[in-house]
Amino acid sequence: QLQASGGGKVQVGGSLRLSCSASGSSFDDYAIGWLRRAPGKEREGISCITVSNGNTYYSAAVSGRFLSSSDNTKNQLTLLLNSLKPVDTAVYYCQADGDPRVLPGTSQNPLSNQGTLVTVSS
């Protein structure tokens, strides 16, 4: 079971570090996608990292501002959110899949529990 954490309230231009973890499981053979759902909007896939080789993908909305990384020793994935904007306000989720081609956004695997809320105020 995945758990996303690290959300909070931040002002425009600020930064947050989100984490995705799974107790008792290894991410070594997976890709991890990050998705978000803003109030009143559809869920949006924003990033993906293939843990085995470090390949990453970012949507146009977050490219250049967000950075995905993995710490295999801690079995934890991190999404660093920089230069945050009010449009980044959303609940953020992580999702694992063995096939990076379906991440982020088209995998049928379950999302992390609850997600973590990021609120950016101007």
Side-chain angles (χ1 to χ4, degrees):
Q1 197 76 30
L2 298 179
Q3 184 171 8
S5 61
K9 296 181 180 180
V10 64
Q11 292 187 329
V12 169
S15 299
L16 283 173
R17 187 185 301 271
L18 307 185
S19 296
C20 178
S21 60
S23 60
S25 300
S26 171
F27 286 141
D28 291 353
D29 297 326
Y30 288 89
I32 303 297
W34 288 93
L35 304 91
R36 66 185 182 185
R37 175 169 280 165
K41 295 188 177 181
E42 296 290 323
R43 193 171 69 196
E44 173 190 17
I46 58 172
S47 180
C48 172
I49 181 168
T50 303
V51 176
S52 61
N53 59 23
N55 285 349
T56 54
Y57 158 83
Y58 302 96
S59 69
V62 306
S63 181
R65 299 188 298 123
F66 290 9
L67 180 65
S68 184
S69 63
S70 65
D71 184 343
N72 293 352
T73 61
K74 297 181 180 179
N75 206 34
Q76 188 174 74
L77 279 296
T78 298
L79 185 67
L80 180 61
L81 285 56
N82 294 316
S83 303
L84 283 163
K85 307 173 183 179
V87 295
D88 295 318
T89 295
V91 178
Y92 285 70
Y93 303 87
C94 57
Q95 184 180 38
D97 202 298
D99 186 354
R101 295 172 299 177
V102 300
L103 290 172
T106 58
S107 171
Q108 299 300 308
N109 288 343
L111 300 177
S112 53
N113 282 349
Q114 299 180 344
T116 187
L117 176 62
V118 172
T119 303
V120 185
S121 58
S122 57

